[in-house]
Amino acid sequence: MKDQGLKGKPPLHYGWIIVLTGMAVLFSCLGLGRFSLGMLLPSMGISLDLNYSQMGLIGTGNFVGYMISVVLAGIIARAIGARWTIFFGLVLVGVSMVLIGSAMTFFEVMALYVATGIGSGLANVPMMGLVSHWFLKSTRGSAAGIMLSGNGLAIVFTGLFVPWVNTSQGAEGWRTGWLTIGIISLIIAVIAVVFLRNDPEEKGLVPLGEANPSEALISDSGVMEKKTSSKWTMVHLGCIYSLFGATYVVYATFIVTAMVNERGFGEGTAGTFWAVVGGLSLFSGPLFGWLSDRLGRKMGMMVVYTLFTISYALVAANLPDPFLYASIGIFGLAAWSIPTIMAAAVGDYMGPAQAVKAFGFITLFFGAGQIAGPAVAGFLADVTGSFSMAFWLCAVLTAGAVVLAYFLKPPARG
């Protein structure tokens, strides 16, 4: 069996089982744990009498928890392995969301959603790091992109499920929504621990993809030789990633609320558009992961951030509805491209052995952006009476990210 694996030609390389399991993990820890909030906020806000600032702070609390877990994820993964770290993270996500369904105050929701954020990070960071263990550079972006499709599936699910629950159960339907997605996350935790493996060697395999001598050098001596250069490259990547964190989360958290409260859409209609975002985003990771495999991570980032800038500007300008639809379409198509490219990039620059640690490091920047984004957007909405200013700020930041990406240096080898 081992000899067959080392030849790299089994009927189905187990790396693809890792990808499919990873898709389920991301469906839970990010798709349900984070992106369901945007759909649940309007009815939850009415039920608990929340203002825009409090809504933003709930999102920010989730990202504070995520930041905490990013610091811990690498340490825990080294101690017990990525597989069990992901399992415990998903259990925390599931339990905390079940309890949110019973919360009666803003502070209860806030505390529990911080716990959801901690669980999300414990599951997401090691899961993205596994891509560099199971796939070589030639297929790394595509594999990461397929995994990120789990987020899109979750958005489709919540976009259709939450309005249905609210219609059938009324003002308190959001409680059933949280309970349901929490239980789903607990089921996925069991699936993850059954199917995930920390390294191809556990299955008698080698990473999937086309190997080349220069990539081997990156994995070993190349990292040490370029340690200082790589450190600053990781900071550069982190700064670029932070601008994605600060902007996409504003859109994901508040676009449904803006459509309902400012544009006069019904919750069901807004939910349908949110499901469209999820449907389009299914293509986002695979498409831009493949594109970055072909054109390079730098060019991939520049293309994506340009698309985000257009999307945010279209909704910020308060143009007629067709421009809003275009904004939603562009956002959906680009949604998971940056995490996909980043997961591949850290492996390119740092090699598989350092991938989890490096992804955790740049995620600190990403998390800082996420913490600031919802709080600032909620505050601006309370002050100005609309989300237009917040979306304009997002457009400016992503335009800046295009410039930052332009100055990104290529990997030292490969």
Side-chain angles (χ1 to χ4, degrees), residues 67-82:
M67 285 279 281
I68 293 170
S69 68
V70 166
V71 176
L72 299 175
I75 299 170
I76 296 174
R78 283 193 295 272
I80 64 174

Side-chain angles (χ1 to χ4, degrees), residues 306-346:
T306 299
L307 291 175
F308 277 128
T309 301
I310 295 170
S311 175
Y312 300 146
L314 287 175
V315 71
N318 201 24
L319 298 168
D321 287 349
F323 293 93
L324 172 65
Y325 306 152
S327 170
I328 290 170
I330 294 169
F331 180 84
L333 192 60
W336 318 128
S337 48
I338 294 299
T340 296
I341 296 171
M342 288 295 176
V346 294

Side-chain angles (χ1 to χ4, degrees), residues 212-230:
N212 60 71
S214 61
E215 187 163 2
L217 287 172
I218 295 175
S219 301
D220 302 315
S221 61
V223 174
M224 293 304 296
E225 292 174 8
K226 299 293 181 180
K227 186 175 181 180
T228 301
S229 175
S230 295

